[in-house]
Amino acid sequence: MKNLKAILFKDSTVKLGLILITISAGLFFMEGSGLFELTEGTAFGAFCFNYSASLVFFFVVIYKGFRRLHYWVLLLALWFISAFALNLSIPIFNTSVTWLSVVICISTIGIILSVFMNEFSSKMKHVVTFFLGMAFLLFIYYSVYLTSMYLIGIFAAIALGLSLHVFVPMGLTIVTFITIKRTIKGSGSLKMALGAGLLVPVVACSIFIWQWKSINNQVNLAINHNTLSEGKLPTWVVISQNIPKTAIAQRIIKAGIVYKTANLSDSWFWGDWNKASFDEPMQHDPFIVIASLFGGDLNLDEKERIKILEAMYDSRHQAQERLWSGDKLKTANVITNVKIFPEYRLAYTEKTLIVHNTEKGGVRAWAGKQEAIYTFHVPEGSVVSSLSLWIDGKEQQSRLTTKGKAESAYREIVGVEQHDPSVIHWQEGNTITARIFPCTPEENRKFRVGITSPLRKQNDMLTYESSYFDGPSPEGATEAIQVSFSKKPESINMPNFDEISEGVYTADRPYQPDEQITFKAPPLADMPFAFAGKGYQLKDYVPQTTNFNPEAVYLDLNASWSASELDELWPAIKTKKVYYYDGKLETLTEDNLGSVCSRMGKLNFSMFPVNEIKHPESSLLITKCAETSPNLRDLDESEFGKALTSYLPGAKQLQLYNIGTNLTPYLKALKEMRVFTYNEGDMAMLQSRLAKNEFIRSQEDSTHVVLAQSGLVIEQTADTLKTGNAPDHLLRLFAYNDIMKKIGPQYFDKTYVQPDVIEEANQAFIASPVSSLIVLETQKDYERFGIDENKNSLQNASAKSSGAVPEPGEWLLILVVIAVINYLVYKSKHVQPEL
């Protein structure tokens, strides 16, 4: 240490170089780590300092010691930092993945420490030499990676010499080679340390290339087998089922979409500027670049890869179609207002979000307008019942129209006219999407979504589950949340909330996506909600069983099953006809039980074709699911989808038993459409039901909707005489579930868009497969797109007013009374009494 201090005091050039490197590196890390808001202006200003520092030190090196190697080491390290600082301002090459950023830091530190190699202990010399081995390979990689820019770099150097940054890795490669040669000379142990530093990256890269080839081989096998068997599922679905669900596999599928690949027909250096097909920034991973060069092209186009990512890794939000970029947006504030009705076992949640555009000018100022896209994940059975957008500081509430009209209006306004709309669309899998435009740097955008949700009942407790969203990052966002109860229940469990008045709780905190509030379930209210000549009454759902002895059992096998579970179930079903699906229905026997379990256990998810069950009324389908799979709509135009299209209109009720509570998006959609009678529980309960021949009986018809998770039945009646302060959400929940029942048979051919279904959605004012909520800027916009004001409708839900709405006859009576009162008042003031 004393020798190091002596060197620094003695050699002012080394001291100056280290000071400039420390300042430049500190400034760069503050920018990259997000310690302050980074804009193009501040980023370029920071780069100018880094670049100026490197120029100053360059002239110092020329003047003080042109031939001294360690001066050039420090200069090139300073230039290396400057090159990455330039990329923050002008993104010419893609962001480095995490592991690469770590290796860059280690390599830079290693080459700087090599200046003091002679002063280190033996142990430290071995560590630095190990680092130099990794650094040498990294610098070689960057030197080769940038070869396509060398010619441009020479000719463009006239512009302040900025393009000369492309030669920095080559210079670092040369000085690192010379340093290594001098360091290991005559030392066998240092040579071993160097060999380890070279070997570790090479082995890691080789393993990745092997994985790449393995995935590529599995993709090709899946394509070949699906073609030979004339499979009805799209090829990308079969690939999604069969390739391993690992982080490495995800990176390989994302190659060319999220990760830069080696494209010999194009510049390796320049990033892909138009990647709107997948909302994730392009990144640079050397392993993927090298593997794409030596491991062969993956036999999948971009569309198929995105479908695989959606099915395997729940990436549907990232795959949403974008009309405008949203890369500069973040969610700044979340205001959550929850109104819980324990006696009705439902809740209404309003989420008000404030969207901030971080763009502050610079070369992209012309593209300041951005589109915010949010995907809200809502509890099972929930429905969106309001939307508001603030325009010029005023809240504008939505109108409800058909999904087609809303989509057409939004595309025209956003794509061509570029002014204010917001729209919400229903999506499969308990999700909805909200789009807001424009989000500009000049002002924050504010919008509100209202969600009606049933509470989950377990034994004598109710649970409220919050909705969460994917979209502009909420990192650092603050949340103000208020929870109020219509009637304060017993045994409330909501830690970290303050009760500000009877039954009203608040909390201020960083945004929290998952919120659960539990409390004791009170007796159900008997007061119905009445509207448009009909009443909506709640009743306790008491599951009723029916004698059902299945003639055939169908097992929906996949990786979620264990061999022990199948062995445990087998004695209860072995006397029946047992089938499984492996491209076609196959018989399961005691002889092939083990091999089938082993083979089917490799599937990430299953897509059991309910249409191939010959006698659904006497059959039992047993499933156990992961949470990922394609959506039902993803199967459009496939042979699988066409077969379901023919089957659904005349489908007979099928008994389904789910081991556990998870359902894939595919089965969730079929459940909402009442394609089967749903049973769930553990293995012991299934064995009990099979022994007793008792399964759940459907209790739904045209006037009854069952919300089993809430222990509720909503009954539609003609009795509207008994009314009170029941929330209008009873009608909204009934209508949503009724619509899903009605559209099921025609879901694929889209003939479900019928006037009676649209009218039911309009009356309840809910987003559904046939209806969307939209806010336009002016009345003229509504008129030219044919979006009329909603009549005979509940309109947008509100946390302020969720009580009963007077009947049309009651409205008439109220108006008559008001008219009579006004007449009497008028007469008393203007008619003079006789003397």
Side-chain angles (χ1 to χ4, degrees):
M1 186 62 70
K2 291 181 179 180
N3 290 338
L4 290 178
K5 289 181 179 179
I7 291 173
L8 292 177
F9 281 112
K10 182 179 178 181
D11 197 328
S12 59
T13 304
V14 172
K15 185 177 181 180
L16 175 63
L18 291 176
I19 291 172
L20 292 177
I21 287 172
T22 302
I23 295 173
S24 295
L27 191 60
F28 175 77
F29 281 117
M30 282 193 293
E31 291 178 290
S33 62
L35 292 179
F36 58 85
E37 192 170 276
L38 184 65
T39 66
E40 291 180 4
T42 57
F44 190 73
F47 160 72
C48 287
F49 174 84
N50 291 333
Y51 186 48
S52 299
S54 60
L55 284 177
V56 168
F57 193 65
F58 171 73
F59 289 115
V60 171
V61 170
I62 294 296
Y63 177 74
K64 287 282 190 177
F66 181 81
R67 295 179 181 276
R68 302 189 68 173
L69 178 65
H70 56 271
Y71 287 178
W72 283 101
V73 167
L74 296 177
L75 174 61
L76 287 167
L78 195 56
W79 256 332
F80 200 47
I81 297 170
S82 177
F84 283 100
L86 176 62
N87 197 60
L88 288 178
S89 174
I90 305 173
I92 298 174
F93 53 85
N94 310 118
T95 305
S96 301
V97 295
T98 302
W99 75 261
L100 176 59
S101 298
V102 172
V103 171
I104 290 171
C105 291
I106 290 175
S107 300
T108 306
I109 292 170
I111 191 66
I112 293 171
L113 290 177
S114 69
V115 172
F116 310 101
M117 185 69 81
N118 293 333
E119 312 305 324
F120 289 142
S121 64
S122 176
K123 190 174 183 179
M124 188 63 183
K125 285 182 179 179
H126 285 78
V127 172
V128 174
T129 304
F130 176 83
F131 287 171
L132 287 175
M134 289 196 299
F136 184 60
L137 290 180
L138 178 70
F139 299 146
I140 289 176
Y141 169 79
Y142 271 119
S143 299
V144 175
Y145 186 79
L146 298 175
T147 51
S148 63
M149 290 300 297
Y150 287 165
L151 191 61
I152 296 175
I154 293 172
F155 285 106
I158 192 172
L160 301 177
L162 298 185
S163 63
L164 293 178
H165 282 90
V166 301
F167 296 101
V168 171
M170 181 186 291
L172 283 168
T173 302
I174 294 171
V175 299
T176 304
F177 176 77
I178 296 172
T179 300
I180 290 173
K181 188 177 179 181
R182 292 179 179 178
T183 300
I184 65 173
K185 188 176 182 181
S187 174
S189 61
L190 287 179
K191 289 178 181 178
M192 291 180 65
L194 173 66
L198 294 171
L199 190 62
V200 168
V202 170
V203 170
C205 187
S206 300
I207 291 173
F208 189 87
I209 293 173
W210 175 77
Q211 289 272 11
W212 177 288
K213 289 185 175 181
S214 176
I215 295 293
N216 202 2
N217 184 54
Q218 290 178 63
V219 166
N220 289 325
L221 285 175
I223 293 172
N224 294 342
H225 290 170
N226 197 46
T227 303
L228 285 173
S229 63
E230 298 181 353
K232 294 180 179 179
L233 284 169
T235 300
W236 65 265
V237 175
V238 178
I239 293 169
S240 303
Q241 289 179 307
N242 286 280
I243 63 174
K245 189 177 180 180
T246 63
I248 291 179
Q250 185 179 17
R251 283 176 177 260
I252 292 171
I253 297 298
K254 285 183 175 181
I257 300 174
V258 174
Y259 299 105
K260 183 72 176 176
T261 56
N263 186 354
L264 297 179
S265 63
D266 199 0
S267 169
W268 291 15
F269 185 67
W270 295 94
D272 296 289
W273 296 97
N274 183 24
K275 276 293 172 188
S277 58
F278 200 79
D279 185 30
E280 193 173 334
M282 285 289 287
Q283 298 178 60
H284 180 198
D285 186 332
F287 285 178
I288 289 178
V289 173
I290 296 170
S292 66
L293 194 61
F294 297 105
D297 291 332
L298 213 58
N299 192 16
L300 293 168
D301 60 35
E302 183 176 297
K303 185 177 179 181
E304 289 175 317
R305 293 182 190 219
I306 290 175
K307 286 291 186 184
I308 291 171
L309 291 171
E310 288 179 330
M312 290 183 67
Y313 300 100
D314 195 21
S315 300
R316 289 186 176 84
H317 175 76
Q318 290 87 341
Q320 290 275 355
E321 180 187 14
R322 288 187 170 273
L323 302 179
W324 288 72
S325 174
D327 64 320
K328 293 293 181 179
L329 300 181
K330 70 175 186 179
T331 303
N333 302 87
V334 180
I335 301 96
T336 304
N337 189 9
V338 183
K339 183 67 177 290
I340 299 177
F341 302 86
E343 70 276 25
Y344 291 94
R345 295 182 194 165
L346 60 85
Y348 174 66
T349 304
E350 284 184 340
K351 281 198 175 289
T352 305
L353 274 64
I354 297 176
V355 189
H356 176 59
N357 188 327
T358 61
E359 187 68 65
K360 296 295 182 183
V363 298
R364 281 167 45 107
W366 61 272
K369 291 182 178 180
Q370 296 216 323
E371 179 185 23
I373 300 179
Y374 286 84
T375 297
F376 287 87
H377 300 260
V378 300
E380 182 181 356
S382 301
V383 61
V384 171
S385 48
S386 72
L387 168 67
S388 293
L389 178 68
W390 272 254
I391 301 175
D392 296 329
K394 295 181 180 179
E395 180 183 3
Q396 302 292 336
Q397 292 192 319
S398 65
R399 291 186 182 182
L400 185 134
T401 187
T402 62
K403 188 172 183 179
K405 278 188 179 181
E407 182 71 15
S408 175
Y410 184 84
R411 283 181 173 275
E412 174 69 19
I413 292 174
V414 172
V416 180
E417 301 168 18
Q418 301 174 19
H419 59 94
D420 299 74
S422 178
V423 67
I424 274 183
H425 293 305
W426 173 91
Q427 302 286 351
E428 288 180 35
N430 301 322
T431 61
I432 60 104
T433 57
R435 293 173 177 262
I436 301 90
F437 183 86
C439 299
T440 65
E442 286 74 30
E443 65 173 345
N444 291 340
R445 290 317 302 262
K446 183 178 178 182
F447 75 101
R448 175 184 293 151
V449 175
I451 301 164
T452 299
S453 304
L455 302 176
R456 181 163 51 85
K457 185 175 185 291
Q458 189 170 16
N459 300 321
D460 64 343
M461 300 295 289
L462 293 177
T463 300
Y464 165 81
E465 298 173 304
S466 64
S467 303
Y468 66 95
F469 61 82
D470 297 319
S473 173
E475 185 178 355
T478 59
E479 180 180 25
I481 179 170
Q482 176 175 290
V483 179
S484 57
F485 293 88
S486 59
K487 291 182 180 179
K488 185 176 177 179
E490 298 177 4
S491 305
I492 299 176
N493 181 20
M494 44 190 310
N496 304 319
F497 278 80
D498 297 320
E499 186 173 13
I500 60 173
S501 61
E502 182 68 13
V504 180
Y505 300 80
T506 63
D508 295 298
R509 63 194 187 187
Y511 169 65
Q512 183 174 308
D514 299 319
E515 182 70 61
Q516 287 198 349
I517 300 171
T518 61
F519 45 88
K520 191 172 182 179
L524 272 183
D526 60 358
M527 192 65 67
F529 172 77
F531 185 77
K534 292 179 180 177
Y536 298 87
Q537 176 82 49
L538 288 185
K539 294 182 179 180
D540 274 306
Y541 170 60
V542 180
Q544 297 178 5
T545 60
T546 183
N547 185 274
F548 178 70
N549 184 11
E551 295 178 3
V553 173
Y554 295 81
L555 299 182
D556 186 20
L557 299 176
N558 52 63
S560 299
W561 289 76
S562 66
S564 61
E565 286 174 324
L566 198 53
D567 290 338
E568 185 181 350
L569 176 61
W570 182 250
I573 61 174
K574 65 181 181 180
T575 58
K576 306 178 185 297
K577 298 176 182 177
V578 183
Y579 301 95
Y580 68 98
Y581 187 77
D582 187 14
K584 60 181 179 179
L585 287 178
E586 304 277 4
T587 302
L588 186 66
T589 66
E590 197 149 5
D591 293 334
N592 65 9
L593 189 65
S595 60
V596 168
C597 183
S598 176
R599 186 168 71 256
M600 302 303 292
K602 296 176 182 178
L603 297 181
N604 296 316
F605 58 84
S606 48
M607 300 285 293
F608 198 95
V610 294
N611 52 286
E612 294 199 19
I613 297 177
K614 294 181 179 179
H615 302 288
E617 69 279 7
S618 60
S619 299
L620 172 65
L621 175 60
I622 303 173
T623 187
K624 188 180 181 189
C625 304
E627 292 185 343
T628 57
S629 81
N631 276 340
L632 205 55
R633 183 59 70 195
D634 294 332
L635 304 174
D636 272 357
E637 307 304 322
S638 68
E639 290 300 316
F640 191 95
K642 291 175 182 177
L644 276 177
T645 302
S646 302
Y647 168 78
L648 290 176
K652 295 180 180 179
Q653 201 73 10
L654 168 71
Q655 284 283 352
L656 178 139
Y657 190 95
N658 180 29
I659 302 172
T661 57
N662 288 340
L663 279 179
T664 60
Y666 165 67
L667 288 178
K668 279 181 183 177
L670 293 181
K671 180 187 176 185
E672 280 198 312
M673 296 171 191
R674 276 61 175 186
V675 173
F676 44 73
T677 301
Y678 181 73
N679 302 254
E680 74 174 25
D682 57 18
M683 185 66 73
M685 183 179 289
L686 172 57
Q687 291 172 317
S688 174
R689 291 199 180 279
L690 286 166
K692 297 177 181 178
N693 295 328
E694 287 184 351
F695 285 84
I696 298 295
R697 179 179 71 83
S698 174
Q699 298 176 47
E700 290 190 325
D701 54 33
S702 61
T703 59
H704 292 82
V705 160
V706 173
L707 301 177
Q709 73 274 23
S710 303
L712 286 180
V713 176
I714 306 178
E715 180 183 17
Q716 184 189 69
T717 69
D719 180 12
T720 60
L721 296 177
K722 184 181 178 182
T723 59
N725 200 35
D728 56 22
H729 303 291
L730 297 182
L731 168 54
R732 300 183 198 271
L733 291 175
F734 179 91
Y736 175 71
N737 285 274
D738 193 50
I739 287 171
M740 295 306 295
K741 281 193 295 183
K742 290 177 179 177
I743 70 169
Q746 287 81 37
Y747 185 68
F748 279 104
D749 61 21
K750 300 180 181 66
T751 58
Y752 57 77
V753 186
Q754 298 295 326
D756 63 321
V757 179
I758 295 171
E759 177 54 33
E760 187 170 6
N762 171 67
Q763 186 182 79
F765 204 87
I766 55 173
S768 72
V770 300
S771 54
S772 297
L773 277 60
I774 189 167
V775 180
L776 300 181
E777 189 172 6
T778 65
Q779 177 61 30
K780 289 184 179 179
D781 288 329
Y782 287 116
E783 290 173 357
R784 64 195 177 96
F785 289 108
I787 300 175
D788 299 324
E789 189 171 357
N790 303 98
K791 299 176 181 179
N792 191 30
S793 170
L794 292 180
Q795 303 293 335
N796 286 271
S798 170
K800 297 178 181 178
S801 176
S802 297
V805 178
E807 286 291 291
E810 293 170 343
W811 280 118
L812 180 60
L813 181 60
I814 292 169
L815 292 173
V816 169
V817 171
I818 293 173
V820 170
I821 292 172
N822 286 335
Y823 172 74
L824 293 175
V825 172
Y826 175 85
K827 185 176 180 180
S828 67
K829 287 183 177 181
H830 293 84
V831 178
Q832 298 296 325
E834 294 183 7
L835 297 175

